[in-house]
Amino acid sequence: MHDAVSLKAIQSADGRRDPYAHYARLHTRGTASPLDRVRDGYDVIVFGYETADRVLKDPAFRLMDTEYMDGAVARWREHTVLRVLKDSVFFVNGSVHTRMRRLFHQAFTPRRVTSLEPAIARITDDLLDRIAELGAGGAPVDFMAEFAFPLPSNVIGELLGVPEEDRAWFRPRVRALSEIFELDGSTWSSMRAADEATAELREYFAELAAKRRADPRDDLVSALVAARAEDDQRLTDDELLANLIALFNAGFVTTTHMFGCGLTLLLARPQALAALLADAELASGYVEEILRYEPPTHFLIRYATVDTEIDGVPVPRGSSVVIALGAANRDPRRFPQPDVFDPRRADNRPLSFGAGPHFCLGAALTRIEGQVAFPRLLRRFPALALQGDPGPPTKLQFRGYETLAVTTESSR
């Protein structure tokens, strides 16, 4: 018999500042536990690494698609953000998911991602030039606004075909969408802001799709519009717009927070920073450990399609399951000394991008952006420093900093 736990501790102010202390207590209980449905809104939490990996790969556990929402959430279709996103690859299952994912996989093949490396290096260097200019004379620079956000948004913008002059417009709208994915984020005000942002994003991408239909370019929007015209079974109009919104948002939000959290981790560990500065070939291990140690996303949600169990915890059909990626990445059964930041960690395979059929499409892109950008950043600004203590992030889903003030001196 498993005693129920509650999410309230992790959702408290202390829990948001240090969720890992709570995860460590969970690990003493095993790998999964029931939740208090009335208090928490979910039925089961999974926090063991091997168990989380298994659940994510198990077809009995599905994304919360329209079928689930229609049976479990009253009046959800009144919200534009939910209605639109449920048509995207991130919220569909089975054959619909397979059809959509096959279309988008071509944009994120290893060869296509590798081919973006020169563009990533160019965009990185352009941003570093701007930081050098803004930071002249010791002036503080907001690392999030000037680097962590524009680098991945420019990369995914290049891939999709979003014009450069439009990309900054997305940031507040993406922030509004991100808020509702917190475990307790579906408040009236957050849902209203997300609905408004989604309506604006839908209108934007409808106009962009129309432009690419009339004047095709070498980008993913043009390719998707062409596929839509050639075969009505590829994507409906609603699916096209939903996926463009979701892909652009997902294409940089987690990468943005990887850069912000990664920089604070490195600046707090001078020896680790010096080792990376001395050998850029170590960047792959550093990126993987940053993603394990401070993952941008801490939770995924699934529901059970059959009566089943998870490591002895009963899971009736229709039950909602919280998969705690942040906890799984600190599971001492999988990662020795899990609270130690060790970029040379052997067999380091965190669950930060999920697992199974819904493994993150952009995982390889995020990794290569980090591998290219971190060494260039540190070489260009060896005196890079935080201006004051930013404290820990306080979000759990899309965990990271909104602003991060740094000072720098150009090495030129």
Side-chain angles (χ1 to χ4, degrees):
M1 184 69 179
H2 294 260
D3 294 332
V5 300
S6 176
L7 295 173
K8 295 306 178 187
I10 196 173
Q11 292 171 329
S12 68
D14 287 342
R16 290 178 182 280
R17 284 191 293 268
D18 183 14
Y20 303 106
H22 183 69
Y23 297 155
R25 290 190 290 273
L26 287 178
H27 286 307
T28 66
R29 304 173 62 95
T31 60
S33 291
L35 290 168
D36 185 330
R37 174 76 185 193
V38 175
R39 295 183 64 198
D40 298 314
Y42 301 93
D43 298 298
V44 176
I45 183 169
V46 175
F47 40 86
Y49 177 95
E50 298 294 345
T51 306
D53 184 61
R54 187 172 69 250
V55 170
L56 289 169
K57 294 174 180 176
D58 188 339
F61 296 96
R62 296 164 65 105
L63 295 171
M64 290 183 160
D65 54 12
T66 55
E67 180 181 350
Y68 174 86
M69 297 293 285
D70 284 340
V73 182
R75 302 170 64 182
W76 71 271
R77 292 179 184 272
E78 295 178 6
H79 291 287
T80 305
V81 61
L82 299 180
R83 201 169 58 249
V84 168
L85 291 182
K86 291 300 178 184
D87 279 329
S88 78
V89 70
F90 299 101
F91 291 95
V92 292
N93 295 292
S95 60
V96 178
H97 174 259
T98 301
R99 169 173 60 85
M100 289 185 185
R101 191 173 177 100
R102 189 181 296 120
L103 274 176
F104 298 120
H105 182 70
Q106 63 185 316
F108 296 97
T109 61
R111 187 170 71 173
R112 180 70 182 271
V113 169
T114 300
S115 73
L116 289 171
E117 187 168 337
I120 294 170
R122 173 181 53 79
I123 293 169
T124 297
D125 290 341
D126 288 346
L127 293 172
L128 296 180
D129 286 343
R130 176 170 169 78
I131 289 175
E133 180 180 349
L134 293 173
V141 178
D142 182 355
F143 177 78
M144 301 306 295
E146 301 299 337
F147 189 87
F149 170 78
L151 173 55
S153 69
N154 279 327
V155 171
I156 195 67
E158 291 283 329
L159 189 65
L160 287 179
V162 173
E164 183 175 358
E165 62 270 19
D166 293 347
R167 295 168 195 166
W169 176 85
F170 279 83
R171 191 177 185 193
R173 291 156 183 85
V174 170
R175 186 183 297 120
L177 265 65
S178 298
E179 287 291 329
I180 68 169
F181 289 101
E182 286 287 307
L183 290 178
D184 57 353
S186 298
T187 64
W188 181 86
S189 60
S190 67
M191 290 300 296
R192 180 179 179 182
D195 285 339
E196 292 174 354
T198 303
E200 293 173 341
L201 289 165
R202 196 177 189 282
E203 182 179 357
Y204 175 89
F205 278 113
E207 292 179 2
L208 183 61
K211 291 177 182 177
R212 293 295 181 265
R213 190 174 291 111
D215 181 20
R217 308 279 180 87
D218 183 21
D219 57 44
L220 186 58
V221 173
S222 297
L224 292 174
V225 167
R228 172 80 182 96
E230 293 168 5
D231 183 354
D232 284 348
Q233 298 304 309
R234 301 300 290 273
L235 285 177
T236 67
D237 288 337
D238 286 341
E239 289 172 346
L240 173 64
L241 298 180
N243 278 292
L244 291 176
I245 292 170
L247 280 172
F248 189 82
N249 290 12
F252 70 84
V253 171
T254 55
T255 314
T256 291
H257 293 318
M258 177 194 70
F259 280 124
C261 293
L263 182 65
T264 61
L265 288 172
L266 292 177
L267 292 179
R269 294 164 175 81
Q271 289 185 325
L273 189 152
L276 179 57
L277 188 57
D279 185 1
E281 295 298 317
L282 298 175
S284 176
Y286 274 69
V287 168
E288 213 64 20
E289 182 67 347
I290 289 167
L291 290 168
R292 183 198 72 83
Y293 193 87
E294 189 68 272
T297 301
H298 276 228
F299 302 105
L300 297 176
I301 310 297
R302 298 290 189 267
Y303 77 95
T305 59
V306 296
D307 291 335
T308 184
E309 56 84 29
I310 300 174
D311 290 357
V313 177
V315 185
R317 179 182 177 184
S319 296
S320 54
V321 180
V322 176
I323 303 166
L325 303 180
N329 284 353
R330 299 282 188 108
D331 186 348
R333 290 170 287 260
R334 175 61 178 79
F335 300 102
Q337 295 184 291
D339 297 325
V340 173
F341 181 79
D342 180 8
R344 298 177 186 269
R345 187 179 293 276
D347 190 29
N348 195 7
R349 291 181 288 121
L351 292 177
S352 306
F353 295 113
H358 297 283
F359 181 79
C360 178
L361 278 166
L365 184 59
T366 292
R367 287 180 169 121
I368 201 166
E369 287 180 55
Q371 292 164 19
V372 170
F374 272 120
R376 300 177 92 87
L377 169 70
L378 299 175
R379 284 198 304 268
R380 179 71 181 272
F381 302 120
L384 190 68
L386 296 175
Q387 188 189 48
D389 180 5
T394 56
K395 299 289 186 184
L396 296 172
Q397 201 72 335
F398 305 123
R399 183 172 178 82
Y401 296 94
E402 289 298 324
T403 62
L404 200 61
V406 299
T407 56
T408 183
E409 298 176 1
S410 174
S411 59
R412 290 181 176 179

